[in-house]
Amino acid sequence: MPEQTWAGFEKAQAALCVIAKDLGGACPSDLHAANLFLFRRAHDYRLEGSNWLRGKTYDGQAHALALSDLGQVRADSLLHALERFDCLYPIPDPWRINIEQAFKAAHLPALTWYASPDDADYLYPKEQFLHYQGPKLRKRKAQMMQLLARDAIHALPITSQHRSLVLQTLERWMKQKAKEVGQTDDLSLIEALEDLDRYDLKGILYCMKDYPLGFVITQTLNPWVEVLRFAKGDDEFPGIYPYMFHDLAKRLPQDVRWLNFEQDMGLANFRQAKRSYSPCAMLNKWRLSLAA
């Protein structure tokens, strides 16, 4: 099959933007055209017409991702889609409620719903990172303060001139995590760095003197939600992650209420790290298929 191009994915963004705005904080982190494009190889994403994107979940299940609000699709049309694809995914909770009601009213076949905990997004109030209040976040605040006691940290917006420093940080992170090329999100990150603006991404690099400690790259999902797409820090500076998230929260527009840290993919270290910041909600991403 031919390589999927950014132009095709970019056309889908207008529809995804409407969906993301309607869902607000309940919007799955997946639903941005640039994110889908940058991870097209990991998921074998392929556009199918103007309404669907075929792909595979991290655990290998074939699925179709809707480029429209399935909660508003007629039940008979949705039934036709379910007959074409192995499953529809990701479906947020608001859509599930509407779909179930529509199928019940139309006396259509039973549905099978499944949500893997590995797929669920971690959602946090922005305010949480501004203050790190409460016993559950005490350790993170202490790490941040210990880091700041070592020396001043300065933040730089990531531009083309900082690309080499970001790549140095990525390489150091991969060595610390014992990861080979292609075993993590490194290839998607490298492609994103070629043109952050093109993919609607914003990046901040954090340095102590001239030494890069870490970076974050985020994306606006809708006016109220910012998604953390990439975050890498030097393990020799344990406070770098809580500091980066704190500084990011300070820089976000006032209307942004939530930070979405995406899913943990079933990886124990990701799960432990993300839970240590006390998410306020886990956003289910339902897989929908016809009952056998």
Side-chain angles (χ1 to χ4, degrees), residues 138-156:
R138 187 177 297 137
K139 179 180 178 180
R140 293 306 188 186
K141 185 173 184 178
Q143 289 176 327
M144 181 176 74
M145 299 310 295
Q146 289 169 7
L147 176 67
L148 292 174
R150 295 177 67 166
D151 206 336
I153 296 175
H154 58 278
L156 302 168

Side-chain angles (χ1 to χ4, degrees), residues 91-111:
I91 298 180
D93 283 320
W95 289 5
R96 176 178 178 172
I97 295 170
N98 293 341
I99 291 169
E100 286 182 330
Q101 291 175 343
F103 265 62
K104 185 177 181 179
H107 304 289
L108 291 174
L111 301 170

Side-chain angles (χ1 to χ4, degrees), residues 218-245:
T218 69
Q219 191 170 57
T220 300
L221 195 58
N222 58 45
W224 311 281
V225 181
E226 193 80 5
V227 181
L228 187 69
R229 294 300 186 194
F230 304 97
K232 310 295 181 196
D234 191 326
D235 285 347
E236 295 183 10
F237 298 82
I240 187 56
Y241 286 101
Y243 178 77
M244 292 193 299
F245 303 154

Side-chain angles (χ1 to χ4, degrees), residues 150-223:
R150 295 177 67 166
D151 206 336
I153 296 175
H154 58 278
L156 302 168
I158 296 176
T159 65
S160 57
Q161 70 184 86
H162 304 121
R163 188 171 183 268
S164 62
L165 292 175
V166 174
L167 292 176
Q168 286 177 32
T169 309
L170 171 63
E171 183 179 4
R172 191 183 320 123
W173 179 88
M174 291 180 67
K175 287 181 178 178
Q176 291 172 344
K177 304 298 182 185
K179 298 291 185 181
E180 299 294 332
V181 173
Q183 288 184 338
T184 179
D185 58 0
D186 54 308
L187 298 180
S188 297
L189 170 58
I190 291 169
E191 184 172 13
L193 287 171
E194 293 175 2
D195 193 340
L196 292 179
D197 290 340
R198 180 188 195 191
Y199 300 121
D200 193 25
L201 293 165
K202 303 174 288 291
I204 308 172
L205 175 68
Y206 296 90
C207 300
M208 187 176 284
K209 294 188 171 65
D210 295 327
Y211 185 83
L213 301 183
F215 62 87
V216 293
I217 295 177
T218 69
Q219 191 170 57
T220 300
L221 195 58
N222 58 45

Side-chain angles (χ1 to χ4, degrees), residues 13-183:
Q13 180 54 22
L16 290 173
C17 186
V18 172
I19 293 172
K21 191 170 184 180
D22 287 345
L23 287 170
C27 185
S29 60
D30 315 59
L31 300 186
H32 193 293
N35 177 65
L36 297 171
F37 178 72
L38 291 170
F39 287 88
R40 66 195 181 280
R41 297 183 184 91
H43 295 285
D44 195 24
Y45 283 139
R46 297 193 175 274
L47 289 162
E48 185 164 306
S50 59
N51 296 319
W52 300 99
L53 185 76
R54 282 185 178 269
K56 290 183 179 179
T57 59
Y58 277 114
D59 58 6
Q61 185 174 20
H63 72 91
L65 183 151
L67 301 178
S68 61
D69 182 346
L70 292 186
Q72 303 300 320
V73 173
R74 286 177 36 148
D76 55 348
S77 299
L78 189 54
L79 176 61
H80 177 64
L82 288 166
E83 291 171 341
R84 291 173 57 205
F85 303 116
D86 292 340
C87 77
L88 306 183
Y89 165 89
I91 298 180
D93 283 320
W95 289 5
R96 176 178 178 172
I97 295 170
N98 293 341
I99 291 169
E100 286 182 330
Q101 291 175 343
F103 265 62
K104 185 177 181 179
H107 304 289
L108 291 174
L111 301 170
T112 296
W113 295 93
Y114 170 69
S116 169
D118 299 347
D119 295 333
D121 283 341
Y122 289 74
L123 192 68
Y124 308 83
K126 178 181 69 175
E127 296 294 320
Q128 195 161 289
F129 298 99
L130 292 176
H131 309 294
Y132 286 125
Q133 292 180 336
K136 292 184 178 180
L137 297 172
R138 187 177 297 137
K139 179 180 178 180
R140 293 306 188 186
K141 185 173 184 178
Q143 289 176 327
M144 181 176 74
M145 299 310 295
Q146 289 169 7
L147 176 67
L148 292 174
R150 295 177 67 166
D151 206 336
I153 296 175
H154 58 278
L156 302 168
I158 296 176
T159 65
S160 57
Q161 70 184 86
H162 304 121
R163 188 171 183 268
S164 62
L165 292 175
V166 174
L167 292 176
Q168 286 177 32
T169 309
L170 171 63
E171 183 179 4
R172 191 183 320 123
W173 179 88
M174 291 180 67
K175 287 181 178 178
Q176 291 172 344
K177 304 298 182 185
K179 298 291 185 181
E180 299 294 332
V181 173
Q183 288 184 338

